[in-house]
Amino acid sequence: MSLTLTKLPLPLPPPLQTSPRGTPFERAVWCLTYQIPAGSFSTYALLAAHLRSSPRAVGNALRRNPFAPEIPCHRVVATGGSLGGFKGKIARRDGEGITLVEKRALLRKEGVKFDAAGAKVLGTPFRGFL
């Protein structure tokens, strides 16, 4: 079973092979997210550009990801390196929230580096999507 994005059929990640969950767009987002290697990150905008969609639509699809952490939505951050949202929540006005603490911890555990304040990821976003 595969999902066709543009002209390329992509192999489905294991959780999607046996589950009918998600709209075709959500499944496409989840397939791309599955390609981001541990220790790397990408952005909502890069996924959106690949899918010819919008970063907000990508974020909404990730918010509905029932397969985390196997489909690692924590590896997707906002353009500029801020964490964005996690588990359907966005940062409070002060830029923090308990779910963002969890997202930061997951990324750090995988080896993603942060600035001195721990507010933004450092490095080049993954863009090697099939």
Side-chain angles (χ1 to χ4, degrees), residues 82-106 108 114 117-119:
S82 65
L83 294 180
F86 189 54
K87 291 187 172 180
K89 308 268 194 290
I90 57 172
R92 294 187 311 247
R93 215 175 260 242
D94 64 3
E96 221 17 86
I98 189 145
T99 58
L100 295 184
V101 170
E102 183 180 357
K103 183 173 184 173
R104 185 179 298 105
L106 287 167
R108 277 193 170 133
F114 285 81

Side-chain angles (χ1 to χ4, degrees), residues 37-119:
S40 298
F41 65 92
S42 194
T43 68
Y44 300 103
L46 286 170
L47 271 73
H50 190 81
L51 293 169
R52 296 187 176 117
S53 183
S54 74
R56 185 173 299 230
V58 167
N60 284 332
L62 292 175
R63 179 172 52 94
R64 291 188 287 274
N65 172 16
F67 304 109
E70 191 169 2
I71 294 181
C73 51
H74 64 279
R75 295 182 189 151
V76 183
V77 301
T79 300
S82 65
L83 294 180
F86 189 54
K87 291 187 172 180
K89 308 268 194 290
I90 57 172
R92 294 187 311 247
R93 215 175 260 242
D94 64 3
E96 221 17 86
I98 189 145
T99 58
L100 295 184
V101 170
E102 183 180 357
K103 183 173 184 173
R104 185 179 298 105
L106 287 167
L107 290 168
R108 277 193 170 133
K109 183 178 179 183
E110 293 181 352
V112 173
K113 303 293 183 202
F114 285 81
D115 65 6

Side-chain angles (χ1 to χ4, degrees), residues 114-127:
F114 285 81
D115 65 6
K120 293 185 178 188
V121 296
L122 299 174
T124 303
F126 177 81
R127 57 184 77 223

